[in-house]
Amino acid sequence: MAQLDPFRQFLDDLRNRFELDHVAYAGMNPISGATHGHMTYGADWTSHYLQNKYYEIDPTLLKARHSIAPVDWNRLERGAEFQTIFRAARDFGISDRGLTIPIHGPYGDVGGLSINRDCSEREWHLLISGIIGDLQSAAVYMHDMVIQADPLTRMLNTPSLSTREIEILQWTAAGKSQQDIGDILSISHRTVEVHLRSARQKLNALTTPQAIGRAINLGLIYPR
Amino acid sequence: MAQLDPFRQFLDDLRNRFELDHVAYAGMNPISGATHGHMTYGADWTSHYLQNKYYEIDPTLLKARHSIAPVDWNRLERGAEFQTIFRAARDFGISDRGLTIPIHGPYGDVGGLSINRDCSEREWHLLISGIIGDLQSAAVYMHDMVIQADPLTRMLNTPSLSTREIEILQWTAAGKSQQDIGDILSISHRTVEVHLRSARQKLNALTTPQAIGRAINLGLIYPR
DNA sequence: TATACTATTGGGGAAATCCCGTATCGCCGC
DNA sequence: GCGGCGATACGGGATTTCCCCAATAGTATA
């Protein structure tokens, strides 16, 4: 299995190349809701991590969501979640000396590539400064690979909204009412609503505000 | 002027370090609408570029908006815009052998770091493979520096929405109706609407869909 | 060619949202 | 202390949106 998984293969190569303890990738597409995780950790820690849903509170991932620059784990806030996860990790023989590189895609997709190695402070800084550039590239490559491979992403990346639908979504995001838009486009406000409904359906959204959020993150429209 | 500008300084250093012809950065925040450009090109090409509003049709920038991986200029589609810009660039003695590294921030902010050098195909590939990692890091650093320095970004990044308002915006983006949210939070749907109205006001939005769009791009809430 | 599917257009009426009002509570400054 | 201000809470009634319905034109597909 593992040796056939290209993602796992890539991470293993990365680990070997830079003599790291472990390399892990976690990514998600807020639209499809799909999350993707790959790691070189053993099955024991992996399953423990997943079973306890650590990915929901993992401070490295939360920080990555809001950051663009690499995040050294020793700069994370030592909150309750931090203690929980890193104490558990230590029990599995995993060091808390690590780094996470956030990656943001154009459609709201986020990911993080994490590496860790148990070593001295000095050794760690030396290592990082030497390979940070390569890691950055690797993170981009890995994220791109994962997102492109996600069929749901691919599907949602190309929701075939009609010209009218996108046009009307754009005006809606600009704060126009259905009546306004009808006047602007010289059609009935009833028709505007039909297109809006169709757009909601295609975006699998329950309400117009939700559809606007998704359309923006899909890059279909821009906020105004 | 130039020698005091830290952005220009950074790009100049980058150019010298890797012996490039030129280094340029362009970024924008879709919310504030502010665009930022910095480059090592001469004033003549820079002003020509700006006067003709090339940044609106520049294929390197357009591609960067939708890509995450570095974009080599020789892989761009040879459209009319491409011809216009690169032919003009050649007149200014600027080569079409270059590369743009896209950067996406967490709040919809996008940027691109471009480098170029007039040299042989072989030389170019050798150069790129050697420094791509460093460029990636430099791009992240530059983008972060620019966005953080933008006072509009900073201001818009901290509109003081109350806890309740953000909470309700988040549920709204999740597709819940006001009645639903009232039930969830155990308050009247009337009250929900008041908070929503207040949020619209603070975000300077005319409608709820517009407010959702802005809140998402401000990083106040996440699309669901 | 027949059929099926989508894009576009519209109406009637139910449902939700929005604007007006009011009220309480806590905080900050004069 | 007290008046102002923002956060929180609620209701009536006007406005808007939403869900049912239907029709036509174009395109794809069997």
Side-chain angles (χ1 to χ4, degrees), chain A residues 65-66 214 222 224, chain B residues 65 104 136 214 222 224:
Chain A
R65 286 182 65 94
H66 295 280
R214 294 192 167 175
Y222 298 97
R224 299 254 173 245
Chain B
R65 287 186 63 92
H104 297 270
Q136 196 88 47
R214 294 194 167 171
Y222 297 97
R224 301 246 175 254

Side-chain angles (χ1 to χ4, degrees), chain B residues 26-94:
Chain B
M28 79 159 231
N29 187 324
I31 305 306
S32 69
T35 57
H36 307 270
H38 301 278
M39 47 194 85
T40 65
Y41 296 112
D44 48 354
W45 168 245
T46 301
S47 63
H48 181 80
Y49 187 93
L50 293 175
Q51 269 170 25
N52 289 279
K53 296 190 176 177
Y54 281 167
Y55 47 84
E56 287 181 357
I57 60 169
D58 192 332
T60 68
L61 299 183
L62 294 180
K63 181 74 179 171
R65 287 186 63 92
H66 296 282
S67 175
I68 169 173
V71 180
D72 198 305
W73 293 355
N74 67 21
R75 290 195 187 171
L76 293 171
E77 286 176 24
R78 252 68 178 174
E81 293 81 6
F82 181 93
Q83 300 294 351
T84 303
I85 293 187
F86 280 88
R87 207 166 289 170
R90 190 163 358 159
D91 294 341
F92 283 87
I94 292 166

Side-chain angles (χ1 to χ4, degrees), chain B residues 51-211:
Chain B
Q51 269 170 25
N52 289 279
K53 296 190 176 177
Y54 281 167
Y55 47 84
E56 287 181 357
I57 60 169
D58 192 332
T60 68
L61 299 183
L62 294 180
K63 181 74 179 171
R65 287 186 63 92
H66 296 282
S67 175
I68 169 173
V71 180
D72 198 305
W73 293 355
N74 67 21
R75 290 195 187 171
L76 293 171
E77 286 176 24
R78 252 68 178 174
E81 293 81 6
F82 181 93
Q83 300 294 351
T84 303
I85 293 187
F86 280 88
R87 207 166 289 170
R90 190 163 358 159
D91 294 341
F92 283 87
I94 292 166
S95 157
D96 64 352
R97 195 179 296 289
L99 176 83
T100 298
I101 297 177
I103 295 294
H104 297 270
Y107 308 121
D109 44 314
V110 204
L113 182 76
S114 300
I115 65 163
N116 85 320
R117 177 160 92 168
D118 193 11
C119 61
S120 74
E121 178 99 8
R122 198 175 153 280
E123 209 176 334
W124 173 249
H125 285 303
L126 211 64
L127 171 73
I128 293 308
S129 62
I131 68 173
I132 184 70
D134 292 310
L135 290 178
Q136 196 88 47
S137 293
V140 168
Y141 181 78
M142 180 74 189
H143 182 73
D144 205 31
M145 194 161 54
V146 168
I147 293 295
Q148 288 307 319
D150 179 4
L152 244 170
T153 298
R154 209 191 308 251
M155 207 180 64
L156 284 168
N157 247 323
T158 53
S160 58
L161 292 191
S162 74
T163 314
R164 253 324 193 218
E165 284 157 359
I166 290 184
E167 193 175 12
I168 287 174
L169 274 180
Q170 182 61 71
W171 281 116
T172 301
K176 300 296 182 186
S177 72
Q178 295 180 5
Q179 184 62 63
D180 291 340
I181 299 171
D183 293 343
I184 291 170
L185 300 179
S186 299
I187 56 178
S188 161
H189 70 95
R190 307 289 193 160
T191 305
V192 172
E193 197 273 329
V194 173
H195 289 298
L196 216 38
R197 190 191 319 161
S198 171
R200 280 196 302 271
Q201 209 161 29
K202 288 179 179 175
L203 291 168
N204 202 24
L206 291 169
T207 64
T208 297
Q210 189 179 23

